[in-house]
């Protein structure tokens, strides 16, 4: 009874920060500029230019999630098996880039990858051709992987440290090799963290627009770019809201699928 008043700020925050904005988006999404009901804003996702942007967003988000997963699994295992007395310091090193502003981190890659950037200058100085990946999907994926990699590593590491050493030692005693232990013991027991990590990488990668704007040079149009332009450039809040509702559906489907793999919440960061 005495704890209920302490929940009021949280409830107010949810209402003001989540429920009310969703209601406003739904209102604009299902009305036209005159305020009349319509579903055209939602069904416009089927328009060729919108469908192409959605497909590109899904593809790049999927590729980025897979790359982050492939990198994070061995890194999380290295962190788990580290003999250092303070493993928290290693974790700190991985999350340190997250303390820097998101746009600054992306701008750093823009400087590195541009045609006259540091990377191309290095290759030219050693007599090798430069990398022409700026303003391409490759650059966008690279930016996504760099920005969202910590969100994959941390939940997987959190799942791995919960695995009892006795379980792994039992597998070795039964004749399993390191590769088999990793494949048949560690990865299955890390599924909750993997599910959480995929959700935390795929969802922001699917909806991003800043990375594609800066590293794609305006040539890589993702659905997030179109939605952002509808709100800020063309001032068509109705169409932007309708497309946002479609993205909400994709996000909810992703979260539902991943939550089935993490029923107990073992992949949470804390």
């Amino acid at each position: 009874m005495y704890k209920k008043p302490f929940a009021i700020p949280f409830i107010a925050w949810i209402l003001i920060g989540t429920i009310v904005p969703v209601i406003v988006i739904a209102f604009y999404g299902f009305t036209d500029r005159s305020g009349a009901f319509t579903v055209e804003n939602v069904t416009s996702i089927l328009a060729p230019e919108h469908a192409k942007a959605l497909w590109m967003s899904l593809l790049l988000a999927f590729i980025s999630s897979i790359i982050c997963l492939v990198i994070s699994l061995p890194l999380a295992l290295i962190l788990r098996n580290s003999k250092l007395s303070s493993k928290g310091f290693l974790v700190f090193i991985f999350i340190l880039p997250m303390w820097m502003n998101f746009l600054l981190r992306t701008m750093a890659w823009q400087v590195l990858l541009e045609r006259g950037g540091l990377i191309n200058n290095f290759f030219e100085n050693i007599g090798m051709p430069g990398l022409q990946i700026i303003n391409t999907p490759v650059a966008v994926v690279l930016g996504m992987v760099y920005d969202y990699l910590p969100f994959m590593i941390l939940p997987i590491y959190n799942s791995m440290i919960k695995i009892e050493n006795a379980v792994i030692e039992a597998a070795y005693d039964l004749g399993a090799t390191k590769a088999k232990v990793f494949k048949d013991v560690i990865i299955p027991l890390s599924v909750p963290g993997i599910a959480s990590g995929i959700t935390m990488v795929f969802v922001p990668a699917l909806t991003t627009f800043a990375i594609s704007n800066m590293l794609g040079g305006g040539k890589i149009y993702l659905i997030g770019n179109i939605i952002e332009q509808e709100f800020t450039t063309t001032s068509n809040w109705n169409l932007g809201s309708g497309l946002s509702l479609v993205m909400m559906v994709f996000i909810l489907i992703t979260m539902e699928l991943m939550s089935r793999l993490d029923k107990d919440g073992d992949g949470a960061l804390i």
Side-chain angles (χ1 to χ4, degrees):
M1 179 178 64
Y2 297 103
K3 296 181 180 179
K4 290 183 179 180
F6 293 100
I8 293 177
F10 174 75
I11 295 174
W13 175 261
I14 293 297
L15 288 174
I16 297 174
T18 303
I19 305 300
V20 173
V22 169
I23 293 175
V24 173
I25 291 294
F27 171 78
Y28 277 104
F30 288 106
T31 58
D32 57 21
R33 296 197 181 208
S34 65
F37 176 81
T38 181
V39 295
E40 290 184 1
N41 298 318
V42 176
T43 57
S44 65
I45 192 66
L46 300 176
E49 64 274 14
H50 296 160
K52 180 180 178 180
L54 176 60
W55 164 249
M56 179 63 72
S57 298
L58 290 169
L59 178 62
L60 296 189
F62 176 78
I63 293 174
S64 301
S65 300
I66 294 300
I67 294 175
C68 285
L69 178 61
V70 171
I71 296 175
S72 297
L73 282 171
L75 283 179
L77 185 60
I78 291 172
L79 286 175
R80 181 192 183 279
N81 295 334
S82 173
K83 301 300 183 180
L84 293 180
S85 57
S86 178
K87 296 182 180 180
F89 178 73
L90 289 177
V91 176
F92 168 77
I93 293 176
F94 282 104
I95 67 174
L96 184 61
M98 297 171 60
W99 291 14
M100 187 186 300
N101 182 272
F102 172 83
L103 293 178
L104 290 178
R105 298 200 308 267
T106 307
M107 288 178 62
W109 275 108
Q110 190 178 29
V111 173
L112 290 172
L113 296 176
E114 62 185 6
R115 288 178 174 82
L118 295 177
I119 294 179
N120 280 338
N121 285 337
F122 171 76
F123 282 120
E124 290 175 0
N125 289 334
I126 62 176
M128 296 180 63
L131 298 176
Q132 305 299 325
I133 64 174
I134 192 69
N135 301 337
T136 67
V138 176
V140 176
V141 169
L142 181 59
M144 290 179 177
V145 171
Y146 175 75
D147 284 317
Y148 302 134
L149 182 61
F151 296 109
M152 182 73 76
I153 294 177
L154 293 181
I156 294 178
Y157 168 72
N158 187 60
S159 289
M160 285 188 178
I161 60 176
K162 295 178 181 179
I163 302 175
E164 295 289 342
N165 289 329
V167 175
I168 298 177
E169 291 172 359
Y172 283 127
D173 291 340
L174 293 173
T177 61
K178 289 185 177 181
K180 192 168 184 61
V181 169
F182 182 71
K183 180 175 71 73
D184 295 337
V185 178
I186 295 178
I187 290 183
L189 293 177
S190 302
V191 165
I194 292 173
S196 179
I198 290 176
T199 302
M200 296 176 68
V201 171
F202 183 82
V203 170
L206 179 63
T207 57
T208 187
F209 62 89
I211 295 177
S212 51
N213 272 341
M214 299 176 69
L215 299 182
K219 299 179 181 180
I220 310 300
Y221 275 94
L222 305 182
I223 193 65
N225 296 109
I226 293 179
I227 294 175
E228 185 261 345
Q229 289 176 2
E230 295 297 339
F231 277 103
T232 61
T233 304
T234 64
S235 297
N236 190 346
W237 285 32
N238 303 91
L239 179 55
S241 298
L243 296 176
S244 297
L245 290 174
V246 176
M247 297 308 298
M248 287 184 190
V249 173
F250 278 95
I251 292 172
L252 290 174
I253 291 174
T254 301
M255 295 180 67
E256 173 61 23
L257 292 176
M258 293 299 102
S259 66
R260 294 186 179 185
L261 299 176
D262 188 13
K263 296 180 180 179
D264 299 326
D266 292 335
L269 295 181
I270 57 175

